[in-house]
Amino acid sequence: MLNKLGDIKSNAQHEIQEADGLSVLESIRVKYLGKKGSLTEILRSMGSCPPQERPALGMQVNKVRALLEEQLTRKQEELSAKMLELRLKSERIDVTVPVEAPHVGSLHPITAVRNELISVFMSMGFDVAEGPEVETDYYNFEALNIPQDHPSRDMQDSFYITENLLLRTQTSAMQIRTMEKQKPPIRIICPGRVFRADEVDATHSPVFHQLEGLVVDKGITMCDLKGTLDAFAKKIYGSDTKTKLRPSFFPFTEPSVEVDVTCSECGGKGCRMCKDTGWVEILGAGMVNPKVLSGCGIDPNVYSGFAFGLGIDRIAVTRYKISDMRLLFENDLRFLEQFKSAL
Ligand code: DAH
């Protein structure tokens, strides 16, 4: 019996030593220490031993059991640690590996320029007003001193929806809506889309963007107009920029001017962009016609104002040296992705 116990002990120890997984270890435990295990069997068969040998044998069996239990536990800990280490190694994440950058879009050049213009004017105390793109003939023309059959309507070929409804041809319509709603002092800009039945070419599009400005208060003069637009031009084109006013005509302003700035490309020396003149026209402006003021219920003997309108697309085209205006509206990603830095 003692020999048998010795064999069990050395076999079990050998198997424990060689075990290479937790399940193998568990089957060894069952094989030797389980209910039907070989050690348990020896205990059961002790009845066939002479009574005087039983206590000594019992002690030996218990000793072997304790030893194997201890070795099983140690081996289990060893195997668990080894498996954990393997897992840690195989699941290791190298946080220093460069990641693939997510695809980030960018602002459209027109949006970028519009945002910049808005922030320049807001810093000068202007509010932003927005109005409808489908406009009535009254707001788009009539109230701006452009009566039916007036030749100046020819300058703006329009998309009519009904006889009295059209896609607005100019953001100037918002001057009237604002003055009807709000009493002076008024200081607003209105950026937005406008529409004209123009042929598409490198410098024309039936859809483009304007930014309208309107200031009405007591004692507003041409000096305020010049000072405001000069400050604006310096912020957009650089502090060396000079502005020049040229006489012009708009039915809703009197007097009317066209504002030129020194060419940002050549600094005023003359180049291809400014057609060798050193100047580039950027907007139309003027003192609000008293007829327009009184039409909106504002007394022109008490109040005066100035207004201006500029083309956002034109600023984007010169700012980014875009050779063809059509590029702005074709949504070609190869073009649009060049403006990431405009964000
Ligand atoms: N609405 C004019 C246009 O589309 C631009 C303009 C000129 C707006 C003079 C104004 C202004 O407010 O005073 O050509």
Side-chain angles (χ1 to χ4, degrees), residues 215-255:
V215 172
V216 182
D217 203 351
K218 284 179 184 155
I220 296 290
T221 70
M222 203 89 179
C223 290
D224 298 303
L225 181 157
K226 164 100 179 152
T228 305
L229 296 178
D230 192 65
F232 154 75
K234 284 185 164 56
K235 281 202 179 168
I236 292 292
Y237 292 104
S239 51
D240 294 339
T241 309
K242 292 192 186 68
T243 41
K244 165 172 97 170
L245 306 187
R246 269 185 299 113
S248 184
F249 170 78
F250 298 102
F252 36 91
T253 45
E254 183 58 40

mmCIF file of all heavy atoms in Angstrom, residues 215-255:
data_model
loop_
_atom_site.group_PDB
_atom_site.id
_atom_site.type_symbol
_atom_site.label_atom_id
_atom_site.label_comp_id
_atom_site.label_asym_id
_atom_site.label_seq_id
_atom_site.Cartn_x
_atom_site.Cartn_y
_atom_site.Cartn_z
ATOM 1 N N VAL A 215 -26.586 102.427 -41.990
ATOM 2 C CA VAL A 215 -26.457 103.183 -40.735
ATOM 3 C C VAL A 215 -27.400 104.376 -40.830
ATOM 4 O O VAL A 215 -27.354 105.130 -41.811
ATOM 5 C CB VAL A 215 -25.012 103.690 -40.533
ATOM 6 C CG1 VAL A 215 -24.936 104.635 -39.340
ATOM 7 C CG2 VAL A 215 -24.045 102.525 -40.339
ATOM 8 N N VAL A 216 -28.291 104.548 -39.883
ATOM 9 C CA VAL A 216 -29.175 105.718 -39.855
ATOM 10 C C VAL A 216 -29.173 106.290 -38.448
ATOM 11 O O VAL A 216 -29.345 105.555 -37.467
ATOM 12 C CB VAL A 216 -30.637 105.351 -40.249
ATOM 13 C CG1 VAL A 216 -31.516 106.607 -40.266
ATOM 14 C CG2 VAL A 216 -30.685 104.648 -41.594
ATOM 15 N N ASP A 217 -28.926 107.583 -38.362
ATOM 16 C CA ASP A 217 -28.947 108.244 -37.043
ATOM 17 C C ASP A 217 -29.016 109.754 -37.276
ATOM 18 O O ASP A 217 -29.010 110.209 -38.421
ATOM 19 C CB ASP A 217 -27.671 107.867 -36.263
ATOM 20 C CG ASP A 217 -27.871 108.015 -34.754
ATOM 21 O OD1 ASP A 217 -28.911 108.568 -34.336
ATOM 22 O OD2 ASP A 217 -26.986 107.580 -34.007
ATOM 23 N N LYS A 218 -29.016 110.506 -36.190
ATOM 24 C CA LYS A 218 -28.958 111.969 -36.357
ATOM 25 C C LYS A 218 -27.524 112.350 -36.710
ATOM 26 O O LYS A 218 -26.584 111.829 -36.107
ATOM 27 C CB LYS A 218 -29.357 112.656 -35.048
ATOM 28 C CG LYS A 218 -30.849 112.629 -34.809
ATOM 29 C CD LYS A 218 -31.204 113.303 -33.495
ATOM 30 C CE LYS A 218 -32.699 113.158 -33.251
ATOM 31 N NZ LYS A 218 -33.071 113.220 -31.853
ATOM 32 N N GLY A 219 -27.359 113.239 -37.690
ATOM 33 C CA GLY A 219 -26.045 113.805 -37.993
ATOM 34 C C GLY A 219 -25.067 112.880 -38.706
ATOM 35 O O GLY A 219 -23.858 113.106 -38.671
ATOM 36 N N ILE A 220 -25.576 111.823 -39.349
ATOM 37 C CA ILE A 220 -24.664 110.939 -40.117
ATOM 38 C C ILE A 220 -24.281 111.647 -41.429
ATOM 39 O O ILE A 220 -25.149 112.165 -42.143
ATOM 40 C CB ILE A 220 -25.351 109.584 -40.439
ATOM 41 C CG1 ILE A 220 -25.650 108.816 -39.151
ATOM 42 C CG2 ILE A 220 -24.484 108.748 -41.387
ATOM 43 C CD1 ILE A 220 -24.446 108.281 -38.421
ATOM 44 N N THR A 221 -22.996 111.689 -41.733
ATOM 45 C CA THR A 221 -22.532 112.376 -42.945
ATOM 46 C C THR A 221 -21.684 111.437 -43.801
ATOM 47 O O THR A 221 -21.384 110.313 -43.402
ATOM 48 C CB THR A 221 -21.654 113.603 -42.593
ATOM 49 O OG1 THR A 221 -20.412 113.111 -42.061
ATOM 50 C CG2 THR A 221 -22.336 114.512 -41.582
ATOM 51 N N MET A 222 -21.276 111.982 -44.934
ATOM 52 C CA MET A 222 -20.396 111.267 -45.852
ATOM 53 C C MET A 222 -19.063 110.896 -45.163
ATOM 54 O O MET A 222 -18.429 109.914 -45.538
ATOM 55 C CB MET A 222 -20.123 112.192 -47.039
ATOM 56 C CG MET A 222 -19.715 111.517 -48.276
ATOM 57 S SD MET A 222 -21.152 111.069 -49.253
ATOM 58 C CE MET A 222 -20.336 110.327 -50.641
ATOM 59 N N CYS A 223 -18.657 111.705 -44.160
ATOM 60 C CA CYS A 223 -17.408 111.411 -43.433
ATOM 61 C C CYS A 223 -17.538 110.084 -42.690
ATOM 62 O O CYS A 223 -16.577 109.305 -42.627
ATOM 63 C CB CYS A 223 -17.103 112.503 -42.406
ATOM 64 S SG CYS A 223 -16.635 114.018 -43.176
ATOM 65 N N ASP A 224 -18.722 109.837 -42.118
ATOM 66 C CA ASP A 224 -18.928 108.564 -41.411
ATOM 67 C C ASP A 224 -18.820 107.403 -42.385
ATOM 68 O O ASP A 224 -18.236 106.355 -42.079
ATOM 69 C CB ASP A 224 -20.310 108.558 -40.746
ATOM 70 C CG ASP A 224 -20.433 109.661 -39.708
ATOM 71 O OD1 ASP A 224 -19.604 109.688 -38.784
ATOM 72 O OD2 ASP A 224 -21.328 110.515 -39.842
ATOM 73 N N LEU A 225 -19.404 107.593 -43.575
ATOM 74 C CA LEU A 225 -19.346 106.557 -44.617
ATOM 75 C C LEU A 225 -17.888 106.258 -44.956
ATOM 76 O O LEU A 225 -17.436 105.125 -44.925
ATOM 77 C CB LEU A 225 -20.109 107.055 -45.849
ATOM 78 C CG LEU A 225 -20.212 106.132 -47.074
ATOM 79 C CD1 LEU A 225 -21.423 106.546 -47.915
ATOM 80 C CD2 LEU A 225 -18.987 106.166 -47.959
ATOM 81 N N LYS A 226 -17.152 107.328 -45.255
ATOM 82 C CA LYS A 226 -15.746 107.167 -45.674
ATOM 83 C C LYS A 226 -14.924 106.530 -44.547
ATOM 84 O O LYS A 226 -14.136 105.600 -44.778
ATOM 85 C CB LYS A 226 -15.185 108.538 -46.085
ATOM 86 C CG LYS A 226 -13.684 108.622 -46.170
ATOM 87 C CD LYS A 226 -13.180 108.515 -47.590
ATOM 88 C CE LYS A 226 -11.646 108.631 -47.609
ATOM 89 N NZ LYS A 226 -10.987 107.973 -48.668
ATOM 90 N N GLY A 227 -15.119 107.017 -43.313
ATOM 91 C CA GLY A 227 -14.341 106.503 -42.177
ATOM 92 C C GLY A 227 -14.627 105.035 -41.916
ATOM 93 O O GLY A 227 -13.710 104.230 -41.711
ATOM 94 N N THR A 228 -15.921 104.660 -41.963
ATOM 95 C CA THR A 228 -16.307 103.272 -41.691
ATOM 96 C C THR A 228 -15.728 102.332 -42.751
ATOM 97 O O THR A 228 -15.135 101.302 -42.438
ATOM 98 C CB THR A 228 -17.851 103.133 -41.678
ATOM 99 O OG1 THR A 228 -18.387 104.057 -40.742
ATOM 100 C CG2 THR A 228 -18.290 101.731 -41.314
ATOM 101 N N LEU A 229 -15.903 102.721 -44.030
ATOM 102 C CA LEU A 229 -15.456 101.833 -45.097
ATOM 103 C C LEU A 229 -13.928 101.787 -45.202
ATOM 104 O O LEU A 229 -13.354 100.759 -45.574
ATOM 105 C CB LEU A 229 -16.099 102.247 -46.425
ATOM 106 C CG LEU A 229 -17.636 102.081 -46.408
ATOM 107 C CD1 LEU A 229 -18.248 102.536 -47.721
ATOM 108 C CD2 LEU A 229 -18.041 100.627 -46.115
ATOM 109 N N ASP A 230 -13.278 102.872 -44.818
ATOM 110 C CA ASP A 230 -11.814 102.880 -44.808
ATOM 111 C C ASP A 230 -11.291 101.935 -43.711
ATOM 112 O O ASP A 230 -10.379 101.136 -43.944
ATOM 113 C CB ASP A 230 -11.319 104.314 -44.554
ATOM 114 C CG ASP A 230 -9.824 104.436 -44.810
ATOM 115 O OD1 ASP A 230 -9.418 104.268 -45.974
ATOM 116 O OD2 ASP A 230 -9.077 104.662 -43.834
ATOM 117 N N ALA A 231 -11.917 102.003 -42.535
ATOM 118 C CA ALA A 231 -11.504 101.111 -41.431
ATOM 119 C C ALA A 231 -11.745 99.656 -41.826
ATOM 120 O O ALA A 231 -10.916 98.775 -41.576
ATOM 121 C CB ALA A 231 -12.292 101.451 -40.164
ATOM 122 N N PHE A 232 -12.900 99.415 -42.467
ATOM 123 C CA PHE A 232 -13.237 98.066 -42.922
ATOM 124 C C PHE A 232 -12.187 97.561 -43.921
ATOM 125 O O PHE A 232 -11.653 96.450 -43.785
ATOM 126 C CB PHE A 232 -14.639 98.095 -43.556
ATOM 127 C CG PHE A 232 -14.868 97.026 -44.571
ATOM 128 C CD1 PHE A 232 -15.080 95.712 -44.181
ATOM 129 C CD2 PHE A 232 -14.861 97.333 -45.933
ATOM 130 C CE1 PHE A 232 -15.269 94.718 -45.116
ATOM 131 C CE2 PHE A 232 -15.057 96.345 -46.874
ATOM 132 C CZ PHE A 232 -15.256 95.025 -46.471
ATOM 133 N N ALA A 233 -11.841 98.392 -44.924
ATOM 134 C CA ALA A 233 -10.894 97.972 -45.966
ATOM 135 C C ALA A 233 -9.525 97.668 -45.365
ATOM 136 O O ALA A 233 -8.859 96.708 -45.770
ATOM 137 C CB ALA A 233 -10.779 99.063 -47.031
ATOM 138 N N LYS A 234 -9.123 98.460 -44.384
ATOM 139 C CA LYS A 234 -7.806 98.230 -43.764
ATOM 140 C C LYS A 234 -7.793 96.903 -43.001
ATOM 141 O O LYS A 234 -6.788 96.194 -42.983
ATOM 142 C CB LYS A 234 -7.456 99.391 -42.819
ATOM 143 C CG LYS A 234 -7.023 100.659 -43.573
ATOM 144 C CD LYS A 234 -6.564 101.734 -42.620
ATOM 145 C CE LYS A 234 -5.780 102.851 -43.301
ATOM 146 N NZ LYS A 234 -6.461 103.521 -44.410
ATOM 147 N N LYS A 235 -8.933 96.573 -42.371
ATOM 148 C CA LYS A 235 -8.982 95.296 -41.635
ATOM 149 C C LYS A 235 -8.965 94.107 -42.581
ATOM 150 O O LYS A 235 -8.402 93.059 -42.284
ATOM 151 C CB LYS A 235 -10.241 95.230 -40.761
ATOM 152 C CG LYS A 235 -10.080 96.017 -39.482
ATOM 153 C CD LYS A 235 -11.047 95.549 -38.424
ATOM 154 C CE LYS A 235 -10.830 96.337 -37.149
ATOM 155 N NZ LYS A 235 -11.875 96.161 -36.181
ATOM 156 N N ILE A 236 -9.622 94.239 -43.728
ATOM 157 C CA ILE A 236 -9.721 93.102 -44.652
ATOM 158 C C ILE A 236 -8.474 92.989 -45.535
ATOM 159 O O ILE A 236 -7.965 91.894 -45.769
ATOM 160 C CB ILE A 236 -10.982 93.254 -45.545
ATOM 161 C CG1 ILE A 236 -12.244 93.107 -44.689
ATOM 162 C CG2 ILE A 236 -11.007 92.241 -46.678
ATOM 163 C CD1 ILE A 236 -12.479 91.718 -44.135
ATOM 164 N N TYR A 237 -7.980 94.119 -46.024
ATOM 165 C CA TYR A 237 -6.882 94.066 -47.010
ATOM 166 C C TYR A 237 -5.518 94.450 -46.438
ATOM 167 O O TYR A 237 -4.525 94.409 -47.139
ATOM 168 C CB TYR A 237 -7.200 94.971 -48.200
ATOM 169 C CG TYR A 237 -8.350 94.481 -49.036
ATOM 170 C CD1 TYR A 237 -9.604 95.081 -48.949
ATOM 171 C CD2 TYR A 237 -8.190 93.402 -49.895
ATOM 172 C CE1 TYR A 237 -10.672 94.623 -49.701
ATOM 173 C CE2 TYR A 237 -9.251 92.934 -50.652
ATOM 174 C CZ TYR A 237 -10.491 93.549 -50.557
ATOM 175 O OH TYR A 237 -11.534 93.091 -51.307
ATOM 176 N N GLY A 238 -5.479 94.883 -45.186
ATOM 177 C CA GLY A 238 -4.184 95.263 -44.597
ATOM 178 C C GLY A 238 -4.137 96.755 -44.288
ATOM 179 O O GLY A 238 -4.775 97.573 -44.968
ATOM 180 N N SER A 239 -3.342 97.119 -43.277
ATOM 181 C CA SER A 239 -3.383 98.489 -42.765
ATOM 182 C C SER A 239 -2.798 99.531 -43.737
ATOM 183 O O SER A 239 -3.023 100.729 -43.562
ATOM 184 C CB SER A 239 -2.665 98.557 -41.415
ATOM 185 O OG SER A 239 -1.391 97.962 -41.549
ATOM 186 N N ASP A 240 -2.078 99.079 -44.765
ATOM 187 C CA ASP A 240 -1.533 100.048 -45.735
ATOM 188 C C ASP A 240 -2.556 100.436 -46.798
ATOM 189 O O ASP A 240 -2.292 101.300 -47.633
ATOM 190 C CB ASP A 240 -0.326 99.431 -46.477
ATOM 191 C CG ASP A 240 0.828 99.186 -45.528
ATOM 192 O OD1 ASP A 240 0.846 99.834 -44.461
ATOM 193 O OD2 ASP A 240 1.692 98.335 -45.852
ATOM 194 N N THR A 241 -3.688 99.759 -46.781
ATOM 195 C CA THR A 241 -4.686 99.956 -47.841
ATOM 196 C C THR A 241 -5.269 101.371 -47.809
ATOM 197 O O THR A 241 -5.602 101.903 -46.750
ATOM 198 C CB THR A 241 -5.825 98.928 -47.667
ATOM 199 O OG1 THR A 241 -5.235 97.642 -47.551
ATOM 200 C CG2 THR A 241 -6.788 98.960 -48.831
ATOM 201 N N LYS A 242 -5.379 101.970 -48.991
ATOM 202 C CA LYS A 242 -6.031 103.287 -49.086
ATOM 203 C C LYS A 242 -7.368 103.119 -49.794
ATOM 204 O O LYS A 242 -7.534 102.206 -50.607
ATOM 205 C CB LYS A 242 -5.153 104.244 -49.900
ATOM 206 C CG LYS A 242 -3.850 104.612 -49.215
ATOM 207 C CD LYS A 242 -3.212 105.785 -49.950
ATOM 208 C CE LYS A 242 -1.851 106.105 -49.396
ATOM 209 N NZ LYS A 242 -0.875 105.021 -49.688
ATOM 210 N N THR A 243 -8.298 104.002 -49.477
ATOM 211 C CA THR A 243 -9.608 103.954 -50.150
ATOM 212 C C THR A 243 -9.847 105.243 -50.926
ATOM 213 O O THR A 243 -9.342 106.303 -50.566
ATOM 214 C CB THR A 243 -10.764 103.790 -49.137
ATOM 215 O OG1 THR A 243 -10.504 104.603 -48.006
ATOM 216 C CG2 THR A 243 -10.955 102.367 -48.716
ATOM 217 N N LYS A 244 -10.643 105.103 -51.968
ATOM 218 C CA LYS A 244 -10.947 106.264 -52.808
ATOM 219 C C LYS A 244 -12.420 106.186 -53.193
ATOM 220 O O LYS A 244 -12.930 105.102 -53.483
ATOM 221 C CB LYS A 244 -10.043 106.164 -54.034
ATOM 222 C CG LYS A 244 -10.399 107.028 -55.188
ATOM 223 C CD LYS A 244 -9.299 106.964 -56.238
ATOM 224 C CE LYS A 244 -9.632 105.965 -57.335
ATOM 225 N NZ LYS A 244 -8.725 106.040 -58.481
ATOM 226 N N LEU A 245 -13.100 107.335 -53.149
ATOM 227 C CA LEU A 245 -14.507 107.348 -53.537
ATOM 228 C C LEU A 245 -14.632 107.946 -54.940
ATOM 229 O O LEU A 245 -14.036 108.981 -55.225
ATOM 230 C CB LEU A 245 -15.338 108.199 -52.556
ATOM 231 C CG LEU A 245 -15.243 107.871 -51.067
ATOM 232 C CD1 LEU A 245 -16.265 108.698 -50.280
ATOM 233 C CD2 LEU A 245 -15.505 106.390 -50.815
ATOM 234 N N ARG A 246 -15.409 107.264 -55.780
ATOM 235 C CA ARG A 246 -15.691 107.792 -57.128
ATOM 236 C C ARG A 246 -17.177 108.036 -57.230
ATOM 237 O O ARG A 246 -17.963 107.220 -56.750
ATOM 238 C CB ARG A 246 -15.307 106.742 -58.171
ATOM 239 C CG ARG A 246 -13.891 106.855 -58.681
ATOM 240 C CD ARG A 246 -13.648 105.846 -59.806
ATOM 241 N NE ARG A 246 -13.830 104.468 -59.374
ATOM 242 C CZ ARG A 246 -14.796 103.676 -59.796
ATOM 243 N NH1 ARG A 246 -15.709 104.118 -60.632
ATOM 244 N NH2 ARG A 246 -14.876 102.437 -59.379
ATOM 245 N N PRO A 247 -17.592 109.151 -57.870
ATOM 246 C CA PRO A 247 -19.031 109.401 -58.015
ATOM 247 C C PRO A 247 -19.693 108.297 -58.838
ATOM 248 O O PRO A 247 -19.082 107.768 -59.762
ATOM 249 C CB PRO A 247 -19.094 110.722 -58.784
ATOM 250 C CG PRO A 247 -17.714 111.259 -58.834
ATOM 251 C CD PRO A 247 -16.752 110.176 -58.489
ATOM 252 N N SER A 248 -20.896 107.936 -58.431
ATOM 253 C CA SER A 248 -21.613 106.892 -59.168
ATOM 254 C C SER A 248 -23.103 107.155 -59.069
ATOM 255 O O SER A 248 -23.521 108.233 -58.612
ATOM 256 C CB SER A 248 -21.241 105.531 -58.574
ATOM 257 O OG SER A 248 -21.829 104.498 -59.304
ATOM 258 N N PHE A 249 -23.904 106.166 -59.451
ATOM 259 C CA PHE A 249 -25.350 106.352 -59.312
ATOM 260 C C PHE A 249 -26.031 105.085 -58.817
ATOM 261 O O PHE A 249 -25.807 103.989 -59.329
ATOM 262 C CB PHE A 249 -25.979 106.743 -60.668
ATOM 263 C CG PHE A 249 -27.484 106.700 -60.612
ATOM 264 C CD1 PHE A 249 -28.200 107.745 -60.009
ATOM 265 C CD2 PHE A 249 -28.191 105.605 -61.096
ATOM 266 C CE1 PHE A 249 -29.583 107.691 -59.917
ATOM 267 C CE2 PHE A 249 -29.585 105.549 -61.002
ATOM 268 C CZ PHE A 249 -30.269 106.600 -60.414
ATOM 269 N N PHE A 250 -26.810 105.254 -57.749
ATOM 270 C CA PHE A 250 -27.761 104.220 -57.317
ATOM 271 C C PHE A 250 -29.042 104.960 -56.956
ATOM 272 O O PHE A 250 -28.971 106.010 -56.300
ATOM 273 C CB PHE A 250 -27.240 103.444 -56.099
ATOM 274 C CG PHE A 250 -25.954 102.699 -56.380
ATOM 275 C CD1 PHE A 250 -24.740 103.216 -55.932
ATOM 276 C CD2 PHE A 250 -25.948 101.515 -57.089
ATOM 277 C CE1 PHE A 250 -23.552 102.556 -56.202
ATOM 278 C CE2 PHE A 250 -24.759 100.845 -57.363
ATOM 279 C CZ PHE A 250 -23.559 101.359 -56.917
ATOM 280 N N PRO A 251 -30.179 104.442 -57.361
ATOM 281 C CA PRO A 251 -31.427 105.184 -57.127
ATOM 282 C C PRO A 251 -31.723 105.407 -55.636
ATOM 283 O O PRO A 251 -32.395 106.373 -55.279
ATOM 284 C CB PRO A 251 -32.506 104.290 -57.760
ATOM 285 C CG PRO A 251 -31.768 103.348 -58.657
ATOM 286 C CD PRO A 251 -30.415 103.190 -58.090
ATOM 287 N N PHE A 252 -31.229 104.504 -54.770
ATOM 288 C CA PHE A 252 -31.593 104.589 -53.347
ATOM 289 C C PHE A 252 -30.590 105.367 -52.521
ATOM 290 O O PHE A 252 -30.731 105.483 -51.305
ATOM 291 C CB PHE A 252 -31.795 103.182 -52.765
ATOM 292 C CG PHE A 252 -30.838 102.156 -53.327
ATOM 293 C CD1 PHE A 252 -29.623 101.912 -52.712
ATOM 294 C CD2 PHE A 252 -31.158 101.464 -54.484
ATOM 295 C CE1 PHE A 252 -28.746 100.974 -53.242
ATOM 296 C CE2 PHE A 252 -30.277 100.537 -55.029
ATOM 297 C CZ PHE A 252 -29.076 100.285 -54.421
ATOM 298 N N THR A 253 -29.537 105.906 -53.167
ATOM 299 C CA THR A 253 -28.586 106.753 -52.430
ATOM 300 C C THR A 253 -28.358 108.041 -53.204
ATOM 301 O O THR A 253 -28.390 108.065 -54.435
ATOM 302 C CB THR A 253 -27.235 106.038 -52.220
ATOM 303 O OG1 THR A 253 -26.840 105.419 -53.433
ATOM 304 C CG2 THR A 253 -27.300 105.021 -51.111
ATOM 305 N N GLU A 254 -28.111 109.121 -52.465
ATOM 306 C CA GLU A 254 -27.836 110.417 -53.095
ATOM 307 C C GLU A 254 -27.029 111.273 -52.145
ATOM 308 O O GLU A 254 -27.542 111.620 -51.082
ATOM 309 C CB GLU A 254 -29.156 111.097 -53.468
ATOM 310 C CG GLU A 254 -28.994 112.397 -54.194
ATOM 311 C CD GLU A 254 -28.195 112.277 -55.494
ATOM 312 O OE1 GLU A 254 -28.389 111.276 -56.207
ATOM 313 O OE2 GLU A 254 -27.363 113.157 -55.749
ATOM 314 N N PRO A 255 -25.765 111.600 -52.389
ATOM 315 C CA PRO A 255 -25.010 111.148 -53.547
ATOM 316 C C PRO A 255 -24.598 109.679 -53.430
ATOM 317 O O PRO A 255 -24.600 109.126 -52.348
ATOM 318 C CB PRO A 255 -23.778 112.059 -53.525
ATOM 319 C CG PRO A 255 -23.609 112.434 -52.090
ATOM 320 C CD PRO A 255 -24.990 112.491 -51.508
#
